[in-house]
Amino acid sequence: MIETRIAALVVILLIAAAIAVVARRAAVPYETALAIVGLGVGLIIGSRPIHLTSSLILFVLLPGLLFESSFNIRWRHVRDNLAAIVGLSTVGVLLTTAVVGFLGSLSLQLALPVAILFGALVSPTDPVAVTAVFRRIGVPSRLIDLVESEALLNDGTGAIVFAIALAATQGGQLAPGPAVLTFLQLGLGGCALGVAVGLLLSLVTSRLDDPQVEITLTGIAAYGGYLVADYLHVSPILCVVCAGFVLGNVGRPKGMSERTQAAVDVFWDYVSFLLNTAVFVLIGLDVPWEAIIRVWPLVLAAAGILLVARALAVYPLLIVLRPLGRRINLRWQHLMVWSGLRGAVALALLLSLQTSGPGAYQSLRGLVYGVVLISIIVQGLTMGPVARVLLPHRPGHPHT
């Protein structure tokens, strides 16, 4: 069995290397291409030696991906978008959950509590394929940072909202007061722990000049921080995001030599490549076709509802938040709506339901996988053309 899984891993890496070359030449999102290949391979081979599980995503794949992204985000870029990032990743997630829950209960044949749970499942966005395309075609860096930062934080807040919605579904109801307290405890606790981990390891790196040890410390921040946060019952996702952000903006420029910075960058670039490869190939391989086909009209309706919910979260919020930061023009807002792909976090939360009563939530399986698949393939493949139409200026032009 172990030999079979190792052989499967080698094949996946070979496929990933080939797809990376082809995707760059064809200007196709690498991650979308991986998912499509995974779909094809899954249909051909049927039984699979490696499967997606909630633990695999949450404890193996996600910490590294979150850390790599947050480590490379600069504070000066976040500062320009701070109000929009915070608003979209908190109020925006709640709005998305509420809109999907309400419309889902009317049109997806779901009871209201289950529809709200579905809204929480699909509220986190996945920026990986989007930001890669944006960089390739020269989308302004401020928009890239806005999309990526929002997605990193709403992964955490989405997971918290999901936990609250699940508790309400299982317990009958959850009063607003305890729900808000739980949200603040998990969210602020995760952020505080992440900042503490980031500052502590920044202090340690400032006293060292050993690339191997300092790379190890970044790994400890990613995976150790995630495990500690999970043990303390605060948000592990927000902990890793904040730890990576602090290390990237404090420990990296002030405590790492140029040699170490170069080594850390190469290491995490490759880790991100491997983890993204695993995520998107396994998403393609693990698609439950029977469940999706059984509810395919509802999947299409759910995808439409999710797009409407994303629009209702983006446009009104950015109007309200306009006095608090730099203006975000309407073309950018259109791109932000279309770039709201769903991916690994939604599937991890879905798969965690298997330990919470799979029979009760079986109806969500086809819906969530279907929505994720549509967003990765349809929105992923059209992201480049849509961006070129909406931003017809020269690459790198600083739109405002």
Side-chain angles (χ1 to χ4, degrees):
M1 189 63 176
I2 294 177
E3 292 83 354
T4 303
R5 292 184 176 180
I6 292 175
L9 178 61
V10 171
V11 171
I12 288 173
L13 291 177
L14 286 171
I15 292 172
I19 292 174
V21 174
V22 174
R24 288 191 179 100
R25 293 183 179 179
V28 173
Y30 165 68
E31 293 77 11
T32 298
L34 283 172
I36 292 173
V37 170
L39 282 173
V41 173
L43 288 171
I44 293 170
I45 66 175
S47 128
R48 297 170 288 280
I50 303 176
H51 293 272
L52 273 180
T53 64
S54 178
S55 296
L56 174 62
I57 297 175
L58 292 177
F59 292 95
V60 178
L61 303 176
L62 198 57
L65 292 172
L66 293 170
F67 182 87
E68 187 274 337
S69 295
S70 59
F71 184 75
N72 287 305
I73 292 177
R74 303 278 74 86
W75 163 246
R76 65 181 180 275
H77 298 149
V78 172
R79 183 177 53 209
D80 290 339
N81 301 308
L82 187 59
I85 291 169
V86 173
L88 288 169
S89 61
T90 53
V91 178
V93 169
L94 294 172
L95 276 174
T96 299
T97 302
V99 171
V100 172
F102 175 72
L103 296 179
S105 68
L106 296 177
S107 58
L108 299 180
Q109 302 175 10
L110 298 174
L112 182 59
V114 179
I116 292 174
L117 187 63
F118 173 64
L121 278 168
V122 297
S123 61
T125 56
D126 189 333
V128 176
V130 173
T131 54
V133 172
F134 281 0
R135 290 189 177 95
R136 188 178 304 130
I137 66 176
V139 169
S141 60
R142 182 183 167 221
L143 177 56
I144 297 174
D145 293 327
L146 172 57
V147 169
E148 189 167 29
S149 300
E150 179 220 339
L152 285 172
L153 289 180
N154 73 25
D155 282 349
T157 54
I160 294 172
V161 172
F162 166 78
I164 294 172
L166 180 60
T169 302
Q170 294 176 334
Q173 62 178 3
L174 189 64
V180 171
L181 186 61
T182 299
F183 185 90
L184 293 176
Q185 175 187 336
L186 292 173
L188 296 180
C191 289
L193 179 61
V195 170
V197 169
L199 289 175
L200 176 62
L201 294 180
S202 295
L203 177 63
V204 175
T205 58
S206 68
R207 300 175 182 274
L208 299 171
D209 186 17
D210 188 325
Q212 285 75 29
V213 173
E214 291 174 78
I215 288 173
T216 302
L217 291 176
T218 61
I220 291 171
Y223 289 92
Y226 194 98
L227 291 173
V228 170
D230 185 66
Y231 177 77
L232 295 177
H233 303 293
V234 296
S235 172
I237 293 175
L238 292 178
C239 174
V240 174
V241 169
C242 291
F245 184 74
V246 171
L247 262 175
N249 288 272
V250 178
R252 178 179 183 168
K254 296 182 179 180
M256 295 182 182
S257 65
E258 291 185 6
R259 179 181 65 148
T260 298
Q261 290 184 44
V264 170
D265 287 345
V266 170
F267 173 79
W268 280 106
D269 280 348
Y270 185 62
V271 168
S272 176
F273 172 79
L274 284 179
L275 297 180
N276 276 312
T277 297
V279 166
F280 285 91
V281 169
L282 290 175
I283 285 176
L285 282 171
D286 251 13
V287 171
W289 285 111
E290 290 184 6
I292 293 176
I293 292 171
R294 190 163 52 245
V295 295
W296 70 266
L298 300 181
V299 169
L300 295 178
I305 288 172
L306 192 54
L307 200 57
V308 169
R310 174 70 175 170
L312 291 176
V314 170
Y315 295 125
L317 263 180
L318 292 184
I319 291 174
V320 172
L321 296 172
R322 184 178 296 173
L324 302 178
R326 287 180 61 188
R327 180 175 173 269
I328 298 170
N329 69 39
L330 196 57
R331 290 176 180 267
W332 282 24
Q333 293 179 40
H334 296 334
L335 261 184
M336 291 173 65
V337 171
W338 192 245
S339 67
L341 276 67
R342 270 62 187 179
V345 174
L347 293 183
L349 298 177
L350 171 71
L351 293 169
S352 72
L353 290 176
Q354 293 178 354
T355 60
S356 305
Y361 308 112
Q362 190 63 31
S363 59
L364 297 178
R365 190 164 179 252
L367 287 176
V368 175
Y369 265 99
V371 165
V372 168
L373 204 59
I374 288 174
S375 71
I376 289 175
I377 294 177
V378 177
Q379 290 171 253
L381 287 177
T382 58
M383 191 58 59
V386 169
R388 290 187 184 95
V389 170
L390 290 174
L391 305 177
H393 304 278
R394 64 179 174 84
H397 188 280
H399 304 279
T400 57

